[in-house]
Amino acid sequence: MAVTDAQTSLRHAFGNVLAFFILILIGVLAFSIRLFSVIKYESVIHEFDPYFNYRVTQFLTKNGIYDFWNWFDDRTWYPLGRVIGGTVYPGLTLTAGTLWWILNSLNIPLSVETVCVFTAPIFSAFASWATYLLTKEVKGTGAGLTAAVLLAMVPSYISRSVAGSYDNEAVAIFALIFTFYLYIKTLNTGSLFYATLNSIAYFYMVCSWGGYTFIINLIPMHALLCIVTGRYSSRLYIAYAPLIVLGTLLAALVPVVGFNAVMTSEHFASFLVFILIHVVALVYYIKGILSPKMFKVAVALVVSGGLAVCFAMIAVLVAMVASSPTMGWSGRSLSLLDPTYASKYIPIIASVSEHQPPTWPSYFMDINVLAFLVPAGIIACFSPLSDASSFVILYIVTSVYFSGVMVRLMLVLAPAACILSGIALSQAFDVFTRSIKLQLPSLSVDSPVDAGDASSESVVPDDTVKTDKTEDTQKERTSKKSRSRKSSSESVEKPPSKLQIKKRLSVLPLETSIIAIVLLVFLGAFYVVHSVWAAAEAYSAPSIVLTSHSHDGLHVFDDFREAYAWLSHNTEVDDKVASWWDYGYQTTAMANRTVIVDNNTWNNTHIATVGTAMSSPEKAAWEIFHSLDVKYVLVVFGGLVGYPSDDINKFLWMVRIGGGVFPHIKEPDYLRDGQYRIDNMATPTMLNCLMYKLSYYRFVETDGKAFDRVRRTEIGKKYFKLTHFEEVFTTHHWMVRIYKLKPPKNRIRGKTKKSKSKANPKTVSKRKELKRNPF
Amino acid sequence: MKLNLFSFLFTFTILSSHVLSISDLILTKVDRRIDLSTQIVRTTTTLKVENAGSDIVSEILLPFPENHAIHLAYLSATLNEGRGKAKPSSGAGLPYDEVVSPKDFPNSLKVYSVTLPKGLGKGDSLTLDVLAVFTHILQPFPEKITQADIQLLLFQETAHYLTPYPVKVQSLVVKLPDARIESYTKLEKTKLQGSELKYGPYENLPRFSYLPMVIHFENNQPFAVAKELVREIEISHWGNVQITEHYNLVHGGAQSKGEFSRLDYQARPYVRGASAFRRLVAKLPPRAHSVYYRDEIGNISTSNLWGDSKKTELEIEPRYPIFGGWKTAFTIGYGLPLQDFLFGIDGKRFLNISFGSPINELVIDTLIVKVVLPEGSKDISPSVPFPVKQSHETKFSHLDIAGRPVVVLEKNNAVPEHNEHFQVYYKFNRLSMLREPLMLIFGFFFLFVASIVYMHADLSISKTSASYLAKIQWEEVQATIRQVHTIISRCLTTHDKLEASLRDLSRTGDIQGCKATRKSVDSSLKELTKELKSPVAFLQSSPQAAQILPKVEEVIAKERDLQERLMAKHSTVVDCYEKKLGGREIENRVASHQQKITALRQEIDDLMDLIDEI
């Protein structure tokens, strides 16, 4: 009999080792699927925001942490500048900086850029491990492993964490999942140790991303749900109260959050629930020491008195909150609560494409088959409903709502969808394989009397379990269903006879189960294929280098870097460059020149000034730029090669944002019958504005017709001269054009003065020339 | 112009200063050839020297006007021994030295003295080839041009060879690029033949004879000047020499002014933008691999690479065309096979590699060559064929502890003539190559050992804390439950024995044997029940087991039930056999028992599974 004992423990050990190796492989998968961008393009920082993060990290590694906190950046928002230390979420920067520091102190000479490029893939491996832990707490190891695999390659998360996409979200998703895991872990164990860890994880999340408000609202919601449904326990108290106290204190340490951690409405719910949970704890305590009769009396007494006080308090709070114009909410949060808010009041938020609501195809693109598995996962969470599974349900419901408001928040939905799909898949596999298992051995179990030895009998199912396991790992890595089944049935505290019946009932016909498993495997395979395609084709382009496949091979458009390199080498260090804010971060990071506005968009007026300049006629624009001490103006123009996201296509936003502050810019002036056009039907205001002129200067001479390949039309005004600007650089494919402001003309006041001042330099230069000429 | 004015004054001073010369050498023939086709000006001078005096002369003085001397990048003097065809490569360069100009020399001269291998006796003569290379000596005029303009350059020289010795016959040939010549100083005996400008021959010129002349000509050759070039040569004894070159490039020609129109440049690149250069060609050594070309913001995709057994040619294009005064910076890196460049000689190793940049016709203002030797190299001594500034550094890379010794060689104003091989000798023990792999192996080994120790050690701080005790208790409970589990499974096996005996009975009809089995089973079951008592008692007493206890008790109760049923069944069957009843009859009688037994058995199995999980 010791044999079976040893076998079971061996099986456990084997299972653990297997799970461990599967997790390692999941980590490798999560890391390597994100390397397509490096392999297909190069090891380079992507897009816009990552360039800023990269620049901050460079500063941190060069000057140290104290200089970083005190950093006042004069390269941006000229002439205002920006206090970087107090306005960035430092989590990502500090993480990458620490990684770099560790590597360098081990004398592994990796550049800051390399570390930054690979931070996101590393953290997505961590995130999939955190998903494993979280799902394991909810539904057991099998579901955990499945969810981890799904998360490792969910396209939505890949889009934000490919190598080079060095953005806050890359580490924040890990922090988010890990915080949730620790919350659930605390909830399941009631250990103060985990509660403390939870606060620290929450602190890391606050450091990393503004999305931490999601945590600080979701967890109170869950606590409230538990209280309302009568699931209050001391474990809930341990999980919730320390997190709020410690977490808020820690959050207030982050400069960018500071007193917002107690002042803004985003955090309000947590404090309300904090009070409530104490009331409930008190009630439970009193209930424990009083007899039921006495308790009823006490309740009547407290309810009558306490309610009055509560209402008074709530009234005061509501009054205080309502007294502020935005009700204490930040613009971004408000646009979440009211999806139409941004488009009404803040065009800057609305102008960012990732702040638009998603379309249906984007759900399919970003979470693919998970969208169909999630409902099954929700059902699985209801049987049985535990504290942990109710949390997961709440998580998916809220994140589905948020993702419906902004495309960007699809990222928050992705982990929830992975967790629930993982649960659904593993439960489905569990049911089907159990049906097969119960029926396959049933041939032998029915005649165990003949078979003889009991020990052999008990071994037989074990073997099938094992073989099933290995088969499954080969197929879809959804092994361990036997374990998940047991742990799920463990949490069900029902008499076994019922369980027995249930088990019997859940047995499906053999053929059906086999077919279902095959179909599930196909579903999984489809998901894998789609994810790999998304990682390789859709999401790995760094967007500063563009490629196109033509009949004679690959063509590379490296115009952005060409322009930035030119700026950085051939202009003065202190020259100011004006461009639309999209290119602000890249200009400061790659060209190292001062910009007027950048992607941080904290000052609407300043952006509106640049927008106004771009939409004004040349002279007015020159005056605005000159007053800002601008020396170069950079525009992005895609008309020659057909690059659609150029400044002409963004121009209406400049008009709108500019017009929002400076009313003399009116959007209808730029539209002909409500249509935005640049051909000969365009309005004169449009054809005379600076953006039009800078984009199309001498464009007609390229092909003689001035055919714009993005707008697919000939431009309206073809021949014109620039009076206040001169072209100093245009890139190879004309995608970036840089103009220099001409120096101000001499003032025409007194004629004598003019002639004098004009004559003098001329004669001087003539004399010089005479002197120089040796002949 | 200032320079001209100066030179006139200069001639004047020279003519007025007739003092005794230091030796009585006479230059019987001087042939000068000046190559102006690129930005680097190469002056080849062939001197036929004759000793007219009585003393043995071992030094020949070569003066340069100071405004030329500051641009002098390279100077070599070789003895031309072969009659007729000159073979400059045959004779190694003669040693030369900068000397203080003697008192009787005019001011503003820099004098180099070439030491002859053996003194020149009376009446003896020899032929000397002098190669002087100048950089930054061509002056763009006008200094600023627009995109459409061509680049015009000024070159000033003396038509007479400047020397402290009297010259009998001399001539000068200036090689110009195949382009327009704006103007040149017309002296007597000046001839323009194609792109060659000839002055002379002039005869019987006195010492320090100076005749200024100026050439103004078009030159659109790339004026690539590296302000600074840092070449890092890293030796790895695993078989690779990695070379990384950081360029800081500028167009040294006429400054560009006004607009840059891409349209004009693309439409007619050789008219509008003639002075710009768009590509550079680097000749890398053969078998160069892993070539890359990038700058600080990433890879630059415009480059081409060809290779054959003789050389590897890399054509690189900067991100944008470089007009006059425009700058750019980039990095080229490549790996070379170690055995081509590293050699051993009596216990020492030496690296033999070229000094300068592989890029054609590049002027380098500051060239820094860093040779990174492997960690643990000793007795380092570089040997460079021309004077350089030397220093030492330490570089830390790839898990180094002591750091790698770096030899830093600095040379100002380097030209392609400096692409000579230089050597760095050092001693290195082959065993220290293994240091880093071993370090890694041991690092991981100790990591695993540490984790094993951690898993097996009890690291709790307080041995009396509640949680610790609870944990210990829980472990005990688990052990007990396992015990219970084993006992019950043993019970079940015993039951199976009983069943087996019944089957035997039905086959053989051996009632006695069956009874005997029954007896032994009875006794063993009793023992097992006894054994079960103590663990159950423990479980009952332990608070930790409160949760599982009901299940354990249930299993035990069910097992007892099953046991009774089995016994009953057994008795019935045996009874029936004793009464010799028919098979069908027996089955009928046992049926109720049998049903219960299978049901119970199933339940127990399930429960056992459950307990097993705990």
Side-chain angles (χ1 to χ4, degrees):
Chain A
M1 292 308 98
V3 181
T4 44
D5 199 38
Q7 243 162 1
T8 41
S9 62
L10 199 70
R11 190 176 56 151
H12 282 188
F14 181 67
N16 284 336
V17 170
L18 198 64
F20 182 73
F21 275 105
I22 289 172
L23 276 178
I24 287 180
L25 286 179
I26 288 173
V28 171
L29 171 74
F31 183 81
S32 51
I33 202 172
R34 285 161 171 84
L35 297 186
F36 276 111
S37 62
V38 172
I39 293 161
K40 287 185 70 180
Y41 296 89
E42 57 180 286
S43 168
V44 73
I45 308 278
H46 289 193
E47 303 204 312
F48 305 105
D49 289 19
Y51 267 99
F52 170 73
N53 297 324
Y54 169 50
R55 185 165 158 254
V56 176
T57 314
Q58 273 183 320
F59 185 89
L60 172 73
T61 49
K62 215 172 173 185
N63 298 314
I65 181 86
Y66 290 105
D67 279 347
F68 166 64
W69 290 124
N70 297 326
W71 185 20
F72 179 82
D73 184 12
D74 56 357
R75 291 264 135 181
T76 180
W77 289 98
Y78 183 82
L80 306 166
R82 179 181 171 195
V83 187
I84 300 282
T87 53
V88 290
Y89 287 99
L92 177 75
T93 316
L94 292 179
T95 309
T98 316
L99 269 180
W100 180 85
W101 179 80
I102 290 171
L103 286 173
N104 264 47
S105 51
L106 289 175
N107 283 332
I108 298 171
L110 285 181
S111 67
V112 180
E113 190 189 7
T114 316
V115 174
C116 292
V117 165
F118 292 102
T119 301
I122 290 170
F123 270 79
S124 35
F126 290 169
S128 50
W129 292 333
T131 311
Y132 162 75
L133 292 172
L134 173 58
T135 321
K136 189 185 154 204
E137 282 304 308
V138 178
K139 277 282 174 191
T141 321
L145 288 173
T146 323
V149 168
L150 293 177
L151 187 102
M153 48 185 178
V154 62
S156 168
Y157 186 31
I158 286 178
S159 75
R160 291 318 186 101
S161 61
V162 291
S165 173
Y166 177 58
D167 211 348
N168 287 337
E169 286 93 333
V171 298
I173 292 302
F174 158 71
L176 181 88
I177 301 171
F178 197 63
T179 313
F180 285 155
Y181 156 67
L182 285 170
Y183 173 69
I184 297 293
K185 182 84 187 172
T186 325
L187 201 59
N188 281 349
T189 57
S191 150
L192 203 54
F193 171 68
Y194 284 111
T196 319
L197 281 188
N198 191 16
S199 318
I200 292 168
Y202 172 67
F203 174 59
Y204 184 61
M205 177 69 194
V206 176
C207 280
S208 318
W209 196 31
Y212 77 92
T213 45
F214 181 63
I215 295 183
I216 204 63
N217 283 303
L218 184 64
I219 288 178
M221 271 164 81
H222 179 247
L224 193 67
L225 185 81
C226 286
I227 292 168
V228 169
T229 52
R231 286 174 164 275
Y232 172 80
S233 62
S234 53
R235 286 175 289 114
L236 180 68
Y237 184 84
I238 295 283
Y240 186 73
L243 172 67
I244 296 304
V245 177
L246 272 178
T248 307
L249 281 177
L250 287 171
L253 291 180
V254 183
V256 62
V257 177
F259 276 105
N260 285 350
V262 286
M263 304 273 276
T264 56
S265 296
E266 280 95 345
H267 306 80
F268 185 62
S270 62
F271 299 122
L272 204 69
V273 174
F274 185 68
I275 297 168
L276 198 69
I277 203 167
H278 279 94
V279 173
V280 172
L282 187 72
V283 169
Y284 271 83
Y285 175 70
I286 292 171
K287 201 175 176 180
I289 54 171
L290 292 181
S291 66
K293 212 178 175 185
M294 287 283 280
F295 181 69
K296 266 185 188 166
V297 176
V299 165
L301 209 86
V302 170
V303 162
S304 51
L307 271 187
V309 178
C310 275
F311 275 118
M313 290 253 299
I314 287 169
V316 168
L317 274 174
V318 166
M320 272 172 66
V321 168
S323 65
S324 81
T326 57
M327 313 213 179
W329 297 85
S330 66
R332 274 167 212 230
S333 312
L334 262 187
S335 59
L336 272 185
L337 296 179
D338 173 10
T340 58
Y341 176 82
S343 51
K344 268 191 259 171
Y345 301 107
I346 321 172
I348 285 190
I349 291 183
S351 78
V352 182
S353 63
E354 60 184 22
H355 289 167
Q356 310 289 340
T359 53
W360 283 112
S362 69
Y363 276 96
F364 187 74
M365 175 71 200
D366 275 359
I367 56 174
N368 202 243
V369 301
L370 306 187
F372 310 115
L373 289 169
V374 163
I378 294 177
I379 293 169
C381 280
F382 271 107
S383 56
L385 188 69
S386 64
D387 289 348
S389 62
S390 68
F391 178 79
V392 173
I393 293 167
L394 203 64
Y395 178 22
I396 186 90
V397 169
T398 45
S399 60
V400 164
Y401 169 73
F402 288 135
S403 71
V405 177
M406 268 190 205
V407 184
R408 190 153 107 108
L409 294 179
M410 194 80 92
L411 195 59
V412 178
L413 170 67
C418 289
I419 291 165
L420 281 161
S421 311
I423 291 171
L425 266 183
S426 99
Q427 296 271 311
F429 271 111
D430 176 25
V431 168
F432 297 135
T433 48
R434 181 153 28 84
S435 314
I436 295 173
K437 176 187 151 194
L438 283 178
Q439 284 172 51
L440 282 183
S442 70
L443 306 169
S444 57
V445 165
D446 277 353
S447 53
V449 211
D450 306 303
D453 230 36
S455 58
S456 68
E457 189 197 323
S458 65
V459 167
V460 172
D462 276 2
D463 279 345
T464 51
V465 167
K466 263 188 202 164
T467 48
D468 277 358
K469 240 191 232 164
T470 42
E471 264 171 36
D472 268 332
T473 40
Q474 279 162 1
K475 281 176 196 159
E476 257 304 297
R477 304 178 186 83
T478 49
S479 70
K480 305 286 173 295
K481 71 271 152 199
S482 57
R483 291 168 137 264
S484 72
R485 164 183 53 108
K486 278 164 192 166
S487 53
S488 67
S489 50
E490 188 183 288
S491 55
V492 196
E493 305 198 350
K494 282 177 190 166
S497 54
K498 268 191 188 168
L499 187 100
Q500 185 81 29
I501 294 159
K502 230 175 109 191
K503 259 190 184 174
R504 278 281 142 84
L505 281 178
S506 65
V507 169
L508 295 168
L510 186 64
E511 296 78 21
T512 325
S513 336
I514 290 171
I515 291 169
I517 285 182
V518 171
L519 286 180
L520 277 184
V521 169
F522 271 122
L523 193 71
F526 178 65
Y527 175 73
V528 173
V529 169
H530 173 81
S531 301
V532 171
W533 172 82
E537 301 293 330
Y539 291 135
S540 57
S543 96
I544 55 161
V545 188
L546 308 164
T547 53
S548 76
H549 293 273
S550 57
H551 54 276
D552 55 343
L554 190 76
H555 198 81
V556 181
F557 297 85
D558 204 358
D559 284 36
F560 288 107
R561 286 194 295 189
E562 183 182 343
Y564 294 132
W566 185 84
L567 272 178
S568 91
H569 292 298
N570 297 307
T571 57
E572 295 295 314
V573 177
D574 284 330
D575 285 347
K576 282 90 194 168
V577 180
S579 65
W580 189 233
W581 60 262
D582 295 26
Y583 314 104
Y585 278 167
Q586 290 185 348
T587 311
T588 43
M590 281 197 263
N592 193 22
R593 290 294 171 268
T594 310
V595 296
I596 306 298
V597 290
D598 69 21
N599 310 41
N600 183 239
T601 65
W602 61 272
N603 187 328
N604 192 22
T605 319
H606 217 52
I607 291 178
T609 312
V610 174
T612 308
M614 292 295 190
S615 32
S616 304
E618 219 186 314
K619 188 164 181 345
W622 184 88
E623 271 157 16
I624 294 173
F625 280 141
H626 189 67
S627 72
L628 286 170
D629 200 13
V630 169
K631 208 154 174 203
Y632 295 95
V633 181
L634 179 150
V635 293
V636 173
F637 171 63
L640 186 75
V641 287
Y643 170 65
S645 47
D646 65 350
D647 277 346
I648 291 287
N649 273 3
K650 290 171 188 167
F651 183 60
L652 269 196
W653 287 110
M654 302 183 203
V655 174
R656 265 173 223 162
I657 293 169
V661 178
F662 302 99
H664 68 275
I665 302 290
K666 295 183 197 73
E667 195 181 332
D669 291 348
Y670 297 85
L671 303 175
R672 172 78 70 191
D673 305 327
Q675 267 194 321
Y676 176 61
R677 50 201 311 169
I678 45 110
D679 53 6
N680 48 16
M681 292 291 286
T683 58
T685 326
M686 177 71 215
L687 295 181
N688 282 315
C689 71
L690 182 71
M691 181 49 77
Y692 179 89
K693 284 192 164 179
L694 296 191
S695 290
Y696 294 115
Y697 177 61
R698 297 189 73 186
F699 180 53
V700 68
E701 292 169 51
T702 52
D703 58 351
K705 281 186 304 188
F707 183 79
D708 186 322
R709 296 200 189 164
V710 176
R711 267 66 59 176
R712 311 211 143 274
T713 172
E714 281 184 28
I715 61 170
K717 194 173 165 185
K718 294 176 183 174
Y719 298 94
F720 54 84
K721 284 219 161 83
L722 293 175
T723 50
H724 292 78
F725 294 85
E726 62 177 356
E727 184 186 11
V728 285
F729 190 72
T730 297
T731 57
H732 188 240
H733 302 98
W734 288 50
M735 274 162 62
V736 183
R737 311 193 70 179
I738 300 170
Y739 293 85
K740 192 176 180 180
L741 269 75
K742 281 189 181 164
K745 288 224 173 74
N746 290 320
R747 297 177 70 188
I748 308 164
R749 198 179 276 166
K751 247 202 163 175
T752 46
K753 247 189 182 172
K754 177 199 152 201
S755 61
K756 229 184 183 178
S757 59
K758 259 204 164 176
N760 272 344
K762 258 198 175 172
T763 46
V764 167
S765 60
K766 255 188 189 171
R767 225 176 271 157
K768 259 188 195 165
E769 265 176 46
L770 281 175
K771 222 171 136 188
R772 281 182 175 264
N773 200 337
F775 316 105
Chain B
M1 259 190 97
K2 211 169 91 192
L3 268 173
N4 258 10
L5 205 69
F6 160 76
S7 43
F8 278 122
L9 286 173
F10 186 54
T11 22
F12 180 69
T13 47
I14 290 166
L15 293 172
S16 61
S17 64
H18 259 291
V19 203
L20 271 166
S21 61
I22 37 166
S23 58
D24 299 320
L25 288 178
I26 296 172
L27 301 180
T28 49
K29 196 178 176 199
V30 176
D31 284 324
R32 275 196 300 158
R33 196 179 167 78
I34 301 174
D35 187 357
L36 297 180
S37 55
T38 64
Q39 59 165 332
I40 300 168
V41 175
R42 294 186 172 85
T43 316
T44 325
T45 315
T46 314
L47 304 171
K48 222 173 235 171
V49 189
E50 197 182 299
N51 192 356
S54 51
D55 300 337
I56 289 178
V57 179
S58 61
E59 276 187 343
I60 297 175
L61 298 181
L62 300 173
F64 292 97
E66 209 157 53
N67 59 340
H68 275 204
I70 52 170
H71 298 299
L72 181 69
Y74 183 82
L75 181 70
S76 86
T78 42
L79 217 51
N80 190 349
E81 277 156 354
R83 298 275 164 237
K85 269 280 166 215
K87 276 200 280 175
S89 57
S90 61
L94 298 174
Y96 60 87
D97 230 343
E98 196 186 325
V99 291
V100 184
S101 58
K103 284 248 174 71
D104 63 327
F105 275 39
N107 290 331
S108 319
L109 278 187
K110 232 179 195 172
V111 183
Y112 292 87
S113 89
V114 176
T115 316
L116 298 175
K118 57 176 195 245
L120 202 60
K122 186 177 180 227
D124 285 354
S125 73
L126 56 79
T127 313
L128 199 64
D129 282 334
V130 178
L131 172 67
V133 180
F134 299 94
T135 58
H136 300 295
I137 202 168
L138 297 173
Q139 283 184 322
F141 185 85
E143 283 185 342
K144 287 190 176 180
I145 55 171
T146 63
Q147 186 183 351
D149 293 340
I150 50 167
Q151 183 171 261
L152 294 172
L153 301 169
L154 274 185
F155 178 66
Q156 305 183 348
E157 242 298 14
T158 156
H160 294 171
Y161 182 59
L162 188 66
T163 174
Y165 314 109
V167 181
K168 275 192 178 153
V169 182
Q170 67 154 308
S171 67
L172 167 67
V173 178
V174 181
K175 167 104 180 55
L176 295 164
D178 294 325
R180 203 148 59 98
I181 297 165
E182 196 78 6
S183 69
Y184 57 92
T185 314
K186 291 193 179 73
L187 302 168
E188 51 175 327
K189 297 184 186 168
T190 306
K191 223 189 316 173
L192 181 65
Q193 278 182 337
S195 63
E196 278 192 350
L197 193 61
K198 282 185 181 162
Y199 286 94
Y202 304 113
E203 282 165 22
N204 292 326
L205 295 167
R207 309 173 64 219
F208 296 115
S209 145
Y210 190 91
L211 188 60
M213 58 118 179
V214 175
I215 308 172
H216 193 201
F217 62 103
E218 177 188 343
N219 187 346
N220 287 322
Q221 291 296 310
F223 268 49
V225 178
K227 287 268 155 214
E228 189 184 73
L229 167 61
V230 180
R231 294 186 83 208
E232 193 178 275
I233 301 166
E234 184 161 355
I235 299 168
S236 159
H237 276 266
W238 295 98
N240 193 30
V241 178
Q242 179 67 37
I243 299 184
T244 318
E245 299 173 351
H246 304 276
Y247 288 89
N248 215 331
L249 216 65
V250 68
H251 186 299
Q255 299 277 315
S256 162
K257 70 171 180 196
E259 296 199 339
F260 162 66
S261 167
R262 174 68 69 167
L263 182 85
D264 292 339
Y265 181 69
Q266 275 172 338
R268 287 171 295 169
Y270 297 104
V271 181
R272 306 276 175 151
S275 62
F277 66 89
R278 51 167 67 187
R279 61 173 57 85
L280 297 165
V281 177
K283 279 209 180 67
L284 307 183
R287 301 211 279 157
H289 59 88
S290 328
V291 182
Y292 66 85
Y293 168 45
R294 58 166 293 153
D295 64 4
E296 57 183 347
I297 55 177
N299 177 50
I300 306 171
S301 48
T302 44
S303 58
N304 283 310
L305 187 73
W306 301 274
D308 54 30
S309 59
K310 295 265 170 55
K311 63 176 189 305
T312 313
E313 206 166 73
L314 173 70
E315 184 195 83
I316 55 175
E317 224 174 283
R319 286 194 188 273
Y320 40 88
I322 309 290
F323 279 85
W326 287 16
K327 290 174 210 144
T328 190
F330 57 85
T331 303
I332 301 176
Y334 47 94
L336 298 169
L338 185 74
Q339 67 269 25
D340 293 4
F341 297 95
L342 193 78
F343 308 96
I345 188 165
D346 44 85
K348 271 197 158 188
R349 291 155 203 273
F350 71 94
L351 174 81
N352 186 31
I353 202 162
S354 81
F355 189 81
S357 155
I359 292 183
N360 291 347
E361 291 300 299
L362 182 74
V363 172
I364 306 160
D365 288 352
T366 311
L367 171 62
I368 298 170
V369 178
K370 295 183 176 179
V371 182
V372 184
L373 300 171
E375 195 178 14
S377 306
K378 290 182 299 265
D379 302 337
I380 303 152
S381 62
S383 110
V384 190
F386 37 83
V388 289
K389 227 187 279 173
Q390 287 185 17
S391 56
H392 285 271
E393 276 179 12
T394 312
K395 184 190 171 186
F396 289 92
S397 152
H398 295 294
L399 301 170
D400 286 347
I401 293 170
R404 307 179 179 198
V406 182
V407 180
V408 184
L409 308 168
E410 195 180 329
K411 171 95 186 84
N412 286 325
N413 211 356
V415 286
E417 272 73 14
H418 288 113
N419 276 10
E420 291 176 39
H421 280 67
F422 73 104
Q423 293 80 33
V424 178
Y425 295 88
Y426 64 99
K427 273 185 181 161
F428 178 72
N429 187 356
R430 199 164 266 281
L431 275 180
S432 41
M433 267 165 72
L434 293 174
R435 178 153 66 180
E436 274 151 17
L438 284 178
M439 222 163 79
L440 276 182
I441 290 167
F442 279 103
F444 277 98
F445 177 72
F446 285 118
L447 182 77
F448 288 130
V449 167
S451 61
I452 289 170
V453 168
Y454 174 77
M455 295 301 275
H456 287 266
D458 184 358
L459 291 178
S460 51
I461 300 163
S462 154
K463 307 281 183 205
T464 54
S465 78
S467 63
Y468 182 74
L469 289 180
K471 198 179 137 204
I472 299 261
Q473 271 179 6
W474 177 240
E475 270 163 17
E476 276 173 23
V477 166
Q478 272 182 324
T480 328
I481 286 173
R482 221 167 290 137
Q483 216 176 330
V484 172
H485 189 265
T486 339
I487 292 168
I488 290 178
S489 41
R490 273 165 69 196
C491 282
L492 292 180
T493 355
T494 338
H495 294 167
D496 287 335
K497 260 187 213 161
L498 210 56
E499 294 267 5
S501 75
L502 281 182
R503 255 175 278 134
D504 277 351
L505 184 64
S506 69
R507 213 171 51 236
T508 58
D510 180 11
I511 300 171
Q512 289 311 314
C514 191
K515 275 186 178 169
T517 326
R518 165 76 182 262
K519 252 182 205 166
S520 72
V521 165
D522 268 349
S523 62
S524 69
L525 277 179
K526 254 178 210 161
E527 260 174 44
L528 284 173
T529 323
K530 252 187 235 164
E531 268 183 47
L532 206 52
K533 258 179 200 163
S534 72
V536 171
F538 174 78
L539 283 182
Q540 276 163 344
S541 67
S542 165
Q544 286 275 332
Q547 275 191 320
I548 319 138
L549 190 60
K551 268 178 211 149
V552 175
E553 278 172 345
E554 200 182 334
V555 171
I556 292 166
K558 289 238 163 90
E559 198 273 335
R560 200 146 295 158
D561 201 7
L562 180 68
Q563 205 173 315
E564 274 164 25
R565 294 269 169 191
L566 262 177
M567 291 303 167
K569 180 189 167 193
H570 195 263
S571 320
T572 325
V573 173
V574 172
D575 249 18
C576 288
Y577 268 95
E578 277 180 336
K579 286 176 189 164
K580 309 258 195 290
L581 287 176
R584 187 163 291 270
E585 182 77 358
I586 298 170
E587 256 177 48
N588 279 344
R589 286 199 185 182
V590 183
S592 63
H593 286 306
Q594 190 58 48
Q595 240 180 350
K596 266 276 161 89
I597 285 169
T598 34
L600 277 174
R601 186 65 199 248
Q602 186 65 43
E603 279 174 30
I604 289 172
D605 279 348
D606 279 347
L607 277 173
M608 291 283 277
D609 269 3
L610 254 179
I611 290 170
D612 192 23
E613 257 313 292
I614 294 160

